[in-house]
């Protein structure tokens, strides 16, 4: 059977456009006008935008590196502070324990007995805690330091001072009428204690109390024989005849 082939171009089928699918020219003009308005609102084209971006980007990278360095330094400082805080806590706790032991011993020595101690109000916060003082002179029950006499309060303060001084001694020390409020018995105890610890520290004491003067090695006095003219007198007690002293 012979096969018949027909070759050619099939024309497109054109469908007539309905009325509701017609192009709305007014709407298109409105959209075009709106787009043009938005483009105009963008302003002029910045031909230097690429160079400015490169400059700003470089500045940003520099600042970011600086911020990174600052954050690294901050972390190192915080680590250093934490380490120093731990070391300070350890040093304070050790010194506080030594001062507390000295305080109890010196208090009993100056008061002729009794007990005394220091304690932290908040042991969880060693560096920020307050410190309380608890004392019990011989034959007394004291609930508040204000119940002590003025002389007793002064002797408690002297005990604490020498307790601290015992932990961190100095080659010399100046005391300005520290025992002025004490009675004669406690002045003698104070002066005798000062004599015992004077082998390691030279004490310069400003005083008007006889008991303290009697334990001194050298006395210095200031006299004014003429108005406006002061004169310093020195008396070396180690070279004074005992008969003259008596």
């Amino acid at each position: 059977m012979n096969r018949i082939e027909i070759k050619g171009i099939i024309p497109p089928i054109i469908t007539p456009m309905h009325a509701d699918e017609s192009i709305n020219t007014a709407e298109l003009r409105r959209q075009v006008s709106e787009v043009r308005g938005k483009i105009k609102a963008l302003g002029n084209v910045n031909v230097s935008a690429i160079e400015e971006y490169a400059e700003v980007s470089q500045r940003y990278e520099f600042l970011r590196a600086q911020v990174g360095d600052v954050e690294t330094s901050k972390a190192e400082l915080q680590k250093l502070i934490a380490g120093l805080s731990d070391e300070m806590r350890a040093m304070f706790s050790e010194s506080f324990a030594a001062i507390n032991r000295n305080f109890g011993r010196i208090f009993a020595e100056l008061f002729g007995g009794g007990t005394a101690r220091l304690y932290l109000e908040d042991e969880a916060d060693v560096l920020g805690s307050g410190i309380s003082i608890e004392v019990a002179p011989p034959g007394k029950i004291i609930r508040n330091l204000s119940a002590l006499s003025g002389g007793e309060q002064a002797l408690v303060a002297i005990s604490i001072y020498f307790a601290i001084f015992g932990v961190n001694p100095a080659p010399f020390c100046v005391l300005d009428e520290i025992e002025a409020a004490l009675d004669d018995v406690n002045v003698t105890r104070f002066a005798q204690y000062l004599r015992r610890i004077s082998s390691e520290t030279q004490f310069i004491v400003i005083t008007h109390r006889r008991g303290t003067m009697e334990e001194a090695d050298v006395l210095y006095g200031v006299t004014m024989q003429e108005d406006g003219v002061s004169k310093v007198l020195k008396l070396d007690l180690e070279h004074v005849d005992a008969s003259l002293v008596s």
Side-chain angles (χ1 to χ4, degrees):
M1 178 182 296
N2 295 329
R3 186 175 180 181
I4 301 174
E5 296 182 2
I6 300 175
K7 297 181 179 181
I9 299 175
I10 302 175
I13 302 175
I14 300 176
T15 304
M17 183 177 294
H18 298 286
D20 57 351
E21 295 178 355
S22 61
I23 298 176
N24 191 336
T25 305
E27 177 62 21
L28 290 177
R29 288 195 181 98
R30 187 193 66 78
Q31 291 180 5
V32 170
S33 178
E34 182 180 354
V35 171
R36 287 177 177 173
K38 291 180 178 180
I39 293 174
K40 186 176 181 180
L42 293 176
N44 298 327
V45 176
N46 186 2
V47 296
S48 302
I50 297 177
E51 290 77 5
E52 291 179 0
Y53 170 78
E55 182 179 352
V56 173
S57 178
Q58 183 179 4
R59 178 65 176 169
Y60 168 76
E61 293 297 333
F62 172 76
L63 293 177
R64 187 174 68 171
Q66 294 296 312
V67 171
D69 292 341
V70 171
E71 291 178 347
T72 301
S73 300
K74 177 183 176 181
E76 292 176 353
L77 285 175
Q78 289 177 338
K79 183 178 179 180
L80 179 60
I81 291 172
L84 289 175
S85 297
D86 293 339
E87 186 176 353
M88 289 171 60
R89 290 188 190 94
M91 293 177 62
F92 177 83
S93 299
E94 182 179 355
S95 298
F96 183 78
I99 292 172
N100 197 15
R101 290 192 298 269
N102 290 345
F103 177 49
R105 175 180 56 79
I106 296 171
F107 177 89
E109 189 171 349
L110 294 181
F111 274 86
T115 59
R117 74 182 184 100
L118 304 172
Y119 65 90
L120 299 175
E121 296 177 355
D122 184 7
E123 295 184 356
D125 184 12
V126 175
L127 299 180
S129 172
I131 299 176
S132 293
I133 305 171
E134 185 180 277
V135 299
K140 292 184 179 181
I141 299 176
I142 303 298
R143 298 187 180 277
N144 195 307
L145 290 177
S146 60
L148 297 173
S149 65
E152 289 173 331
Q153 292 181 17
L155 201 57
V156 170
I158 292 172
S159 300
I160 295 176
Y161 173 78
F162 283 126
I164 298 173
F165 191 80
V167 175
N168 296 301
F172 70 91
C173 177
V174 179
L175 302 176
D176 187 0
E177 298 195 28
I178 191 174
E179 84 293 25
L182 305 182
D183 57 24
D184 292 338
V185 175
N186 287 328
V187 166
T188 301
R189 288 176 179 167
F190 161 78
Q192 291 174 349
Y193 177 80
L194 205 61
R195 162 66 69 178
R196 286 194 293 274
I197 65 175
S198 62
S199 59
E200 298 180 357
T201 302
Q202 180 182 5
F203 289 96
I204 302 173
V205 183
I206 302 172
T207 182
H208 293 89
R209 304 302 297 270
R210 176 170 179 161
T212 305
M213 295 181 189
E214 290 176 348
E215 292 294 335
D217 296 322
V218 180
L219 293 178
Y220 292 90
V222 179
T223 182
M224 185 181 294
Q225 296 178 348
E226 301 178 16
D227 292 342
V229 179
S230 298
K231 184 178 181 180
V232 178
L233 302 178
K234 176 183 177 182
L235 179 61
D236 191 343
L237 297 181
E238 293 183 350
H239 299 86
V240 174
D241 192 336
S243 60
L244 296 177
V245 177
S246 60

